[in-house]
Amino acid sequence: MPGNFDWETAFIIWVQSFRNSFLDGLFFSLSFMGTEGFYLLFLPAVFWCVSRDAGLRLGVVFLLNDYLNGVLKDAFGLPRPDDPRIVVLGRESSPGFPSGHAQSAVLLWGYLATQFRRPVLWVLAVVLPVAVGFSRIYLGVHYPRDVLGGWLIGLAFLLLSLAGQRTLERLRFPPGAVLAAAAGVPLALLVLAPGDGALRDMAVLIGLGLGAAGESSWVGFDARGEPGRQVVKLAVGLALLFTLWLGLKALLPPASGFRFLRYAAVGLWVALGAPWLFVRFGLARKRPASGRS
């Protein structure tokens, strides 16, 4: 990949020539949609309040996509903008290519559009990845090629995930094989490409996979419900999720093993702990006999 960033630097400087307080706020907000905090809000909401099955699949492909982004960043090792004429409106320590915000936005909104097939989601699947990607250029944290690469890789991974989903849906696996895959595949990926981001993603994936298996066997909650219950369910679930996430961070040492436990606990809460709580206290019903939610 060429290393000359002159035209891209000039493009960022031109974009930033339109800077004002309104655009700063707008693009900071759009950029937030690619952060860990946003996904901790959004992905559980899909699982708990829209569709348990679609939310689980989305969580799995999202985490694998984020893992892939970290692997590619380390493999390419390309710099972020560092020209003194560029105003950098954010702190980032990872390599620049490909943009994780752009890649994840394509995967997330594209996946939701293909699963629910609502016109508004198809519009969001185009508009939001473009807006989020452009925000990264405006904020001075990515070159245009980083964003373009993120869009293309996100789209390729989305298509691959959909093809894999169709294949897996035609197969039937015994419970033991499902549990082995839920723990074994993330651990194998973590061994292949260790790192802070991979540890976080694979820990959550293990918690999510094992939790979903337990939820299916012992809880069987239905994500659908009346609007009032949905609001209460989401508020309670997220409040306890962030208490767990921040509380364990404050209580546990920063060593990798403890970080792994912390993020695995987050996945377990989303997939098993919260659904059990919802059913136990009447905030959610059991799934119908068909088993789909």
Side-chain angles (χ1 to χ4, degrees):
M1 183 173 291
N4 188 339
F5 297 93
D6 288 349
W7 77 265
E8 296 179 275
T9 297
F11 181 75
I12 298 171
I13 293 170
W14 176 77
V15 168
Q16 291 192 334
S17 69
F18 299 97
R19 274 193 61 210
N20 57 55
S21 58
F22 171 78
L23 290 179
D24 285 358
L26 173 64
F27 288 119
F28 269 121
S29 299
L30 288 168
S31 190
F32 172 73
M33 297 179 68
T35 64
E36 181 178 349
F38 172 77
Y39 292 120
L40 277 172
L41 291 168
F42 188 84
L43 295 175
V46 177
F47 187 94
W48 295 335
C49 298
V50 180
S51 168
R52 182 261 187 199
D53 295 331
L56 176 61
R57 294 192 299 266
L58 175 60
V60 171
V61 298
F62 174 83
L63 291 166
L64 292 174
N65 175 74
D66 196 60
Y67 168 88
L68 173 64
N69 180 259
V71 170
L72 293 175
K73 281 181 181 292
D74 290 340
F76 285 102
L78 292 179
R80 292 179 182 268
D82 60 357
D83 190 287
R85 295 170 294 173
I86 294 174
V87 180
V88 179
L89 299 173
R91 293 183 179 180
E92 301 288 351
S93 58
S94 62
F97 182 91
S99 165
H101 283 65
Q103 184 177 327
S104 295
V106 170
L107 184 282
L108 175 71
W109 297 104
Y111 190 85
L112 288 173
T114 61
Q115 298 306 293
F116 296 105
R117 300 183 180 277
R118 304 282 179 83
V120 66
L121 288 176
W122 287 112
V123 172
L124 291 177
V126 174
V127 172
L128 285 181
V130 171
V132 169
F134 187 78
S135 76
R136 305 301 283 167
I137 297 172
Y138 178 92
L139 296 176
V141 294
H142 275 299
Y143 290 108
R145 75 178 70 185
D146 302 337
V147 172
L148 178 60
W151 286 333
L152 294 176
I153 294 166
L155 178 60
F157 191 78
L158 171 63
L159 296 176
L160 180 64
S161 299
L162 294 173
Q165 176 180 312
R166 288 191 292 269
T167 299
L168 291 174
E169 285 176 346
R170 293 195 292 267
L171 303 175
R172 292 291 182 267
F173 298 99
V178 173
L179 288 173
V185 171
L187 287 176
L189 292 174
L190 184 56
V191 170
L192 287 173
D196 289 344
L199 183 145
R200 176 197 62 213
D201 292 335
M202 295 303 100
V204 175
L205 186 55
I206 287 177
L208 194 66
L210 296 180
E215 188 280 327
S216 182
S217 298
W218 305 322
V219 181
F221 94 112
D222 191 340
R224 296 164 295 187
E226 298 82 4
R229 287 188 181 184
Q230 296 286 61
V231 171
V232 175
K233 181 169 66 175
L234 185 60
V236 170
L238 288 177
L240 293 175
L241 171 62
F242 277 87
T243 299
L244 178 69
W245 181 50
L246 296 173
L248 289 180
K249 183 178 182 179
L251 292 173
L252 296 178
S256 295
F258 290 106
R259 287 189 69 245
F260 186 92
L261 291 175
R262 174 190 171 212
Y263 281 103
V266 166
L268 277 170
W269 169 255
V270 171
L272 177 58
W276 174 85
L277 186 74
F278 299 153
V279 172
R280 175 67 178 79
F281 290 96
L283 295 174
R285 302 185 182 90
K286 292 277 191 175
R287 280 198 294 278
S290 66
R292 293 204 168 267
S293 170

